[in-house]
Amino acid sequence: MEHNKRLFYIQKSFEYVKKIKNYKKMLFLITIFSVFLGSSNFLFSFMLQKTLSSAIARDYYQLGFVSILFLIASAIYGVAFYYMQKYKEIINQELNLLLKSELLEQIIKIPLSQKNKFGQGNLLIMLNEDSENFATYFSNIIIPSFQLIMSMVSGSVYILLYSWQIFLLISLITVLFVIFNGILLKKMNISFMNLQKIKDSQRTFWEDIHISSDISKIFNLRSFNMFKSNALFSRRFQAEKKYANDTGLSSSLIEGTILSIELLILVVGSILVKYSVLSVPVLIGIWNASIGTLIYPFMDFPEIMKKKSQAISSFNRIRTVFSYERENIKGSFIEINEPSLHLRDTDFSYNSDIKILKNINLTVKKGELILIEGESGAGKSTLIDLLLHLIYPDNGRIFFTNADNEIIKCNPRAQISYVPQGKFVLNTSTEENLKMSETEDRSLSEKTILDFIQKAGLPLDSINNNVGKIKLSHGQLQRLALVRALLKEANFIVMDEPFSALDNENIERVTNLINNAKKHCGIIIVSHRVAKGLHVDRSYQLKGGNLNEI
């Protein structure tokens, strides 16, 4: 079972590597470099042995020849090491970009009901830390592990060629080390993953604190937040302590094994030299091979396992997001002759017991302005999510028809634009906010953007400046969100509380923009506040899950 899991992560890593441009060339070169770097100590140990033998025998010709070979091999080693690091970093960056792109696309396309299962902090961690962690799985775990295996195999062959006694001694110590360290590594992996979960909770908590900082100040939640923060810190402290303890035990075992191997090689080797089984140059070569091919890999082993635990833990979180089915909403905007939007016998509930919306029937034609009023908790936000196809009805249907009352199959989100409540715009320039309305088939000219900014009464210096930097007012941000919705040129616009927190002057400006927009599209305003001067065609009351015309 554990073996299958290891193969699964290696297979997944290779699947992503195969998506990189020129991956075959890079994999071929990395394999060549890995074989050379992993087995280079075999070569250097042999040359060291020959150098000492030549010096003892005063064979200066052979000494000079071996020294030159040593320098050439060292230069080749440096070049191979440089290109190995270069290709590893290229693969890291390419995989990081690929994972981030796929994860972002998946987050965008999974249904809202599934997305809400993740905290905002968790999604940020997945997009940043988790994608970066697993992107390094190939270069920081697979490649070093391959080099480690090559190193240990070549070192073992070298030692076996010259002394089967020392080889058996090292093999026995290695087997005992692998058994005991395997037990410690399992404990270390469990404690690390537990630590990561607590870190995720802590990050999510601080993300929530940042988002709701105003609420915390108004309701004086300092004591509550400090209590929760201290509780999370206490849990993290205990987890850090447990992980440090398990890591320390593994490191102690490794250090003890390394010292034991070094000491035993010298002791046993000296005895073999005394009885003329080995020469001094051969013993030095064996000792150097054991340090370079066995001891150093043992020292690298804990770091590789730590990175492996991080990468696997990160991928398992990412994998949860990829396990959800994507929304099957495709297609671009299509022209519909005199379009109408219909909700027929629509029910919705977040669980099977309580219906939020009951038997909703509504028809909106292009050129109509429909007002839907309702108190907080009446289901207005749920109705908006249904209209935007972010959630789907339990019963009934939502569809579009043309002038002949024929049902038109189309991408519903391409037909509907949206003015949200709350944070209306991205923290970037006005121009970039408005260009969110562009499609693959339609781009916005600078003249069009300038005309709409002027119509909305927005400052011209906001075109290329960050909206946060120039500090647009709440009313200006609302008008910017409305202009953005209009520029999409959809057949219908859904507006969520477009007059909330606006003064009378801004209400009048927004009202004029809406009345003008009505000439080009159907508008649905969901609000508990009615603005004077709004050219409303029909009004509805949403109460108790029922929608009734007033």
Side-chain angles (χ1 to χ4, degrees):
M1 188 70 177
E2 194 67 30
H3 175 71
N4 291 337
K5 283 184 179 179
R6 285 196 292 268
L7 288 178
F8 171 77
Y9 295 117
I10 293 171
Q11 179 186 352
K12 280 296 176 184
S13 183
F14 271 101
E15 283 178 9
Y16 281 106
V17 169
K18 288 178 181 178
K19 296 178 182 180
I20 298 174
K21 186 179 179 181
N22 296 327
Y23 81 92
K24 289 184 178 179
K25 174 187 174 183
M26 283 192 284
L27 283 182
F28 174 75
L29 292 174
I30 284 173
T31 302
I32 298 297
F33 295 147
S34 295
V35 171
F36 175 75
L37 294 173
S39 58
S40 60
N41 199 265
F42 183 106
L43 177 64
F44 289 125
S45 296
F46 179 75
M47 287 191 291
L48 176 62
Q49 175 190 325
K50 288 298 180 184
T51 301
L52 290 172
S53 298
S54 301
I56 292 172
R58 297 185 179 182
D59 186 348
Y60 298 114
Y61 176 79
Q62 184 175 332
L63 178 63
F65 178 73
V66 174
S67 297
I68 292 171
L69 285 180
F70 206 107
L71 291 173
I72 293 172
S74 298
I76 294 173
Y77 183 93
V79 172
F81 184 81
Y82 167 78
Y83 279 102
M84 169 68 85
Q85 296 302 113
K86 176 183 175 181
Y87 286 126
K88 280 169 65 176
E89 186 58 31
I90 290 172
I91 288 174
N92 271 351
Q93 296 302 324
E94 291 282 353
L95 290 181
N96 192 10
L97 178 61
L98 182 64
L99 274 167
K100 275 184 167 63
S101 300
E102 289 191 3
L103 185 58
L104 181 59
E105 184 180 4
Q106 178 70 7
I107 289 171
I108 291 171
K109 291 188 176 182
I110 59 176
L112 184 65
S113 58
Q114 303 294 345
K115 185 179 176 183
N116 288 338
K117 293 180 180 180
F118 301 96
Q120 187 172 4
N122 284 333
L123 291 176
L124 290 173
I125 291 167
M126 289 179 193
L127 279 170
N128 292 288
E129 296 182 24
D130 288 336
S131 57
E132 291 172 7
N133 281 342
F134 190 70
T136 63
Y137 190 89
F138 182 81
S139 58
N140 288 352
I141 295 150
I142 293 178
I143 295 175
S145 296
F146 178 67
Q147 284 183 240
L148 186 147
I149 293 169
M150 288 299 305
S151 177
M152 295 184 75
V153 169
S154 64
S156 299
V157 169
Y158 184 91
I159 295 168
L160 182 60
L161 284 173
Y162 290 100
S163 175
W164 63 267
Q165 298 95 334
I166 294 177
F167 173 78
L168 287 178
L169 179 65
I170 293 175
S171 298
L172 177 62
I173 296 173
T174 302
V175 169
L176 293 173
F177 166 79
V178 169
I179 292 171
F180 287 109
N181 199 50
I183 296 170
L184 292 175
L185 284 174
K186 284 183 180 179
K187 292 177 66 178
M188 192 173 76
N189 288 341
I190 292 170
S191 59
F192 174 77
M193 290 186 179
N194 182 50
L195 175 60
Q196 286 299 102
K197 288 178 182 178
I198 295 171
K199 283 183 177 180
D200 290 348
S201 299
Q202 200 172 38
R203 291 189 191 101
T204 300
F205 170 71
W206 285 111
E207 182 69 27
D208 292 340
I209 288 292
H210 175 70
I211 294 170
S212 59
S213 58
D214 293 342
I215 300 298
S216 296
K217 291 177 182 177
I218 293 168
F219 288 94
N220 193 22
L221 298 178
R222 179 183 175 279
S223 297
F224 172 80
N225 290 336
M226 288 301 297
F227 173 79
K228 192 167 183 180
S229 175
N230 290 336
L232 285 170
F233 179 80
S234 178
R235 287 178 58 204
R236 178 170 176 173
F237 175 76
Q238 294 299 324
E240 293 269 16
K241 185 178 176 182
K242 178 70 168 60
Y243 180 59
N245 180 64
D246 293 340
T247 305
L249 286 173
S250 180
S251 298
S252 299
L253 179 62
I254 290 168
E255 291 295 330
T257 304
I258 289 169
L259 292 173
S260 299
I261 290 175
E262 285 190 87
L263 181 61
L264 287 171
I265 286 174
L266 290 176
V267 170
V268 174
S270 298
I271 295 172
L272 294 174
V273 168
K274 181 180 178 181
Y275 289 98
S276 301
V277 177
L278 293 178
S279 65
V280 172
V282 170
L283 175 60
I284 297 299
I286 290 174
W287 186 75
N288 184 73
S290 66
I291 291 175
T293 62
L294 299 175
I295 293 175
Y296 283 165
F298 277 141
M299 294 175 68
D300 294 338
F301 194 66
E303 187 63 24
I304 292 174
M305 295 308 297
K306 180 180 177 181
K307 290 177 179 178
K308 178 184 175 183
S309 297
Q310 291 175 338
I312 289 175
S313 178
S314 293
F315 182 72
N316 286 336
R317 284 195 292 273
I318 293 173
R319 193 173 155 200
T320 305
V321 179
F322 282 115
S323 67
Y324 294 122
E325 292 185 11
R326 294 186 178 189
E327 294 177 315
N328 189 25
I329 295 181
K330 300 178 181 179
S332 56
F333 175 80
I334 61 172
E335 292 287 347
I336 303 175
N337 183 27
E338 296 183 25
S340 296
L341 169 62
H342 305 270
L343 282 80
R344 285 289 176 267
D345 305 321
T346 304
D347 296 340
F348 182 83
S349 61
Y350 290 103
N351 57 62
S352 57
D353 298 327
I354 303 172
K355 286 190 179 294
I356 306 299
L357 299 175
K358 306 171 186 175
N359 198 35
I360 302 295
N361 286 281
L362 177 68
T363 296
V364 184
K365 297 180 180 180
K366 187 173 183 177
E368 288 187 329
L369 196 160
I370 305 300
L371 178 65
I372 299 175
E373 301 177 62
E375 298 296 327
S376 297
K380 298 193 302 296
S381 297
T382 302
L383 179 59
I384 289 172
D385 288 343
L386 280 173
L387 289 167
L388 297 174
H389 286 72
L390 296 176
I391 57 177
Y392 302 94
D394 299 331
N395 298 298
R397 55 185 181 150
I398 304 170
F399 58 95
F400 297 87
T401 61
N402 59 16
D404 298 323
N405 206 31
E406 297 173 329
I407 295 177
I408 304 298
K409 292 183 178 180
C410 60
N411 179 348
R413 290 183 192 157
Q415 300 293 325
I416 300 175
S417 194
Y418 178 48
V419 180
Q421 182 186 9
K423 187 178 181 181
F424 314 116
V425 296
L426 299 179
N427 194 23
T428 182
S429 68
T430 300
E431 181 179 13
E432 289 182 346
N433 267 286
L434 295 180
K435 282 192 172 184
M436 289 171 59
S437 299
E438 290 183 334
T439 63
E440 295 179 0
D441 306 321
R442 183 178 60 88
S443 59
L444 298 174
S445 66
E446 290 185 7
K447 183 178 182 303
T448 301
I449 291 173
L450 183 61
D451 288 345
F452 271 86
I453 286 175
Q454 289 175 330
K455 287 178 183 178
L458 297 172
L460 295 179
D461 62 349
S462 69
I463 294 177
N464 298 313
N465 288 317
N466 189 292
V467 294
K469 182 179 179 181
I470 59 176
K471 296 182 179 179
L472 293 180
S473 68
H474 196 87
Q476 288 172 325
L477 290 171
Q478 181 73 74
R479 297 200 299 277
L480 175 57
L482 180 54
V483 168
R484 183 179 63 195
L486 293 173
L487 281 169
K488 186 179 178 181
E489 296 183 357
N491 284 322
F492 301 92
I493 300 179
V494 176
M495 301 184 184
D496 185 6
E497 301 285 2
F499 308 109
S500 63
L502 297 184
D503 57 26
N504 291 330
E505 181 182 353
N506 277 303
I507 287 175
E508 185 178 349
R509 286 180 173 178
V510 171
T511 299
N512 290 334
L513 283 171
I514 293 173
N515 287 335
N516 288 328
K518 179 187 170 184
K519 301 172 185 176
H520 311 289
C521 60
I523 299 175
I524 304 169
I525 295 178
V526 180
S527 177
H528 67 276
R529 182 180 182 184
V530 183
K532 293 180 180 179
L534 201 61
H535 300 165
V536 177
D537 292 287
R538 295 191 308 280
S539 294
Y540 292 84
Q541 179 76 31
L542 184 60
K543 187 175 182 180
N546 296 301
L547 187 67
N548 299 306
E549 188 172 357
I550 302 174

